[in-house]
Amino acid sequence: MMNIRLVPNLTFDSSTDHFVLILYVLSGWGTDEKVIISILGHRDSTQRKLIMLAYEELYQENLIDRLKSELSGDFEEAAIRWMLDPVDRDAVMANVAVKNFVTPDIRVILEIACVRSPSELLAVKQAYHSLYKRSLEEDVAMHTTGDFHKLLVALVSTYRYDGDEIDSSLALSEAKILHNAIKEKAFGHEEIIRILSTRSKAQVNATFNCYKDEYGASITKGLMGDPKDDFLAALRVVVQCIRSPHKYFAKVLNDAVNKQGADEDALTRVIVTHAEKDLNNIIELYFQRNSISLNHAVANHSSGDHKAFLLTLLGAEDL
Ligand SMILES: *[C@@H]1O[C@H](CO)[C@@H](O)[C@H](O)[C@H]1NC(C)=O
Ligand SMILES: *[C@@H]1O[C@H](CO)[C@@H](O)[C@H](O)[C@H]1NC(C)=O
């Protein structure tokens, strides 16, 4: 049972059970993570926004700040990511990633730049301005060098056309340009970067398809080379994010659970950012690839409140 200390004279009904959380967090009885998980984990983004507003109005305090002081570890991070508006969440994740520029974090920037729609990317950049009084572009530019710099600055700066139209002869000629650069191992070639960063996703995908038809192997194969080459790995992520994002995320999740100690950051990121969108597609591909359900993998590899929270977002809290 919850130990709720009610605020006097406050009326609420069952449809406003968010007050339960509000009151609970405020009660001096110690935080009950299970209650927080069961309430927040079952609220969509509009409802969560209402909870935040109601909380702020009642207590002149930001609920996220409160959660930061009440929770800890991987669960704290997941709960806070979940409470943020999706666009703000991306801006926050991008900021953490640029400030801490090492290989795994580059994926965060690439996912935001290549998986989100062009207008979503624009919204994330606007949120970044409001939150940090700087642009994502300048932060990425300041924290990168060499080929990474060229690629990442181009990808975060772009505003691609978002239509479905495809120019087949252009796809053919650009497949050839890509193939020539790859053959010469000129992976940081400005033409590779121009094509990947400026063409519409439908057009780039058509180019990848032509590449495979013309040269007998996928562009991803062409970008294999040295497995320790981080720049090649980044190019493969770009290709996968544009071509088949669900497959890409299924792989990120699989890598995350198979890592020693599990990569909780990656698990949180993929599950939280897709829970209200296309997580079911990712779950399905995950099962196809691994013959084990994502629910079971998470149940097996995570622990404590973080595990309970992720399973709730997966709709598998009974595991
Ligand atoms: C890319 O092309 C392949 C093959 O036609 C198709 O299956 C896939 O859905 C396309 N992806 C995108 C993002 O258009
Ligand atoms: C659970 O994790 C252990 C250790 O990582 C592994 O050996 C086992 O196969 C996993 N089971 C499932 C069902 O994933």
Side-chain angles (χ1 to χ4, degrees):
M1 264 319 290
M2 299 177 265
N3 295 311
I4 303 167
R5 199 189 290 159
L6 298 179
V7 171
N9 303 329
L10 185 77
T11 55
F12 58 98
D13 57 41
S14 59
S15 69
T16 54
D17 64 0
H18 50 269
F19 285 165
V20 171
L21 168 79
I22 293 162
L23 296 170
Y24 189 80
V25 171
L26 214 79
S27 76
W29 293 80
T31 314
D32 186 336
E33 281 81 2
K34 281 192 182 59
V35 175
I36 294 182
I37 291 168
S38 95
I39 295 177
L40 295 183
H42 290 108
R43 294 296 172 277
D44 68 20
S45 87
T46 311
Q47 292 169 327
R48 297 196 303 276
K49 211 172 279 173
L50 290 173
I51 292 175
M52 301 252 291
L53 286 172
Y55 188 92
E56 183 107 39
E57 200 166 287
L58 275 168
Y59 304 112
Q60 325 296 314
E61 184 187 22
N62 184 287
L63 178 55
I64 290 182
D65 291 342
R66 185 72 195 193
L67 290 172
K68 273 185 195 159
S69 71
E70 299 283 339
L71 309 176
S72 62
D74 295 323
F75 173 49
E76 174 195 338
E77 172 160 323
I80 287 163
R81 294 270 188 273
W82 178 240
M83 290 309 285
L84 287 168
D85 174 79
V87 162
D88 288 339
R89 178 200 296 146
D90 276 355
V92 168
M93 291 193 308
N95 183 253
V96 171
V98 289
K99 283 196 310 202
N100 180 22
F101 231 92
V102 288
T103 321
D105 286 324
I106 284 173
R107 288 188 311 190
V108 177
I109 305 284
L110 295 176
E111 288 164 16
I112 292 169
C114 301
V115 175
R116 308 298 183 261
S117 72
S119 55
E120 284 169 338
L121 173 60
L122 191 61
V124 171
K125 292 195 285 184
Q126 284 163 340
Y128 200 98
H129 290 184
S130 317
L131 286 169
Y132 303 110
K133 313 302 170 204
R134 293 190 303 275
S135 72
L136 176 59
E137 293 90 326
E138 69 187 293
D139 277 355
V140 167
M142 211 173 72
H143 289 94
T144 49
T145 54
D147 287 341
F148 275 113
H149 177 86
K150 291 192 285 181
L151 177 69
L152 288 158
V153 171
L155 287 171
V156 296
S157 303
T158 195
Y159 183 46
R160 300 174 196 269
Y161 173 63
D162 200 19
D164 293 332
E165 300 86 347
I166 286 164
D167 179 338
S168 309
S169 60
L170 183 67
L172 196 62
S173 68
E174 294 196 333
K176 186 164 182 214
I177 293 172
L178 292 178
H179 186 254
N180 285 340
I182 288 171
K183 208 170 57 187
E184 285 160 26
K185 301 200 185 306
F187 300 116
H189 197 286
E190 63 188 23
E191 286 289 88
I192 294 190
I193 289 167
R194 174 186 64 78
I195 293 167
L196 293 180
S197 66
T198 65
R199 294 300 186 194
S200 74
K201 290 187 194 178
Q203 182 67 35
V204 186
N205 195 43
T207 301
F208 295 158
N209 290 336
C210 275
Y211 187 105
K212 178 144 200 234
D213 294 344
E214 289 293 305
Y215 305 108
S218 70
I219 185 165
T220 315
K221 284 233 168 66
L223 296 171
M224 279 302 179
D226 176 3
K228 289 215 177 65
D229 186 328
D230 292 338
F231 184 68
L232 274 181
L235 286 177
R236 290 195 300 273
V237 168
V238 172
V239 171
Q240 290 158 0
C241 282
I242 292 176
R243 186 177 176 74
S244 37
H246 295 142
K247 216 159 119 187
Y248 164 78
F249 285 119
K251 184 166 181 302
V252 171
L253 289 170
N254 192 40
D255 291 347
V257 294
N258 285 319
K259 225 167 135 175
Q260 194 77 29
D263 180 351
E264 303 291 347
D265 262 5
L267 276 182
T268 298
R269 180 174 87 249
V270 178
I271 292 174
V272 165
T273 55
H274 295 271
E276 288 174 283
K277 295 203 291 199
D278 49 2
L279 192 55
N280 282 338
N281 302 75
I282 298 169
I283 289 172
E284 217 176 284
L285 280 172
Y286 186 94
F287 185 74
Q288 281 173 24
R289 282 181 72 101
N290 306 299
S291 310
I292 165 179
S293 75
L294 179 59
N295 297 346
H296 281 101
V298 169
N300 194 19
H301 293 279
S302 295
S303 60
D305 297 321
H306 187 238
K307 164 175 148 179
F309 186 59
L310 294 182
L311 288 176
T312 299
L313 298 187
L314 285 163
E317 52 269 70
D318 48 340
L319 269 187

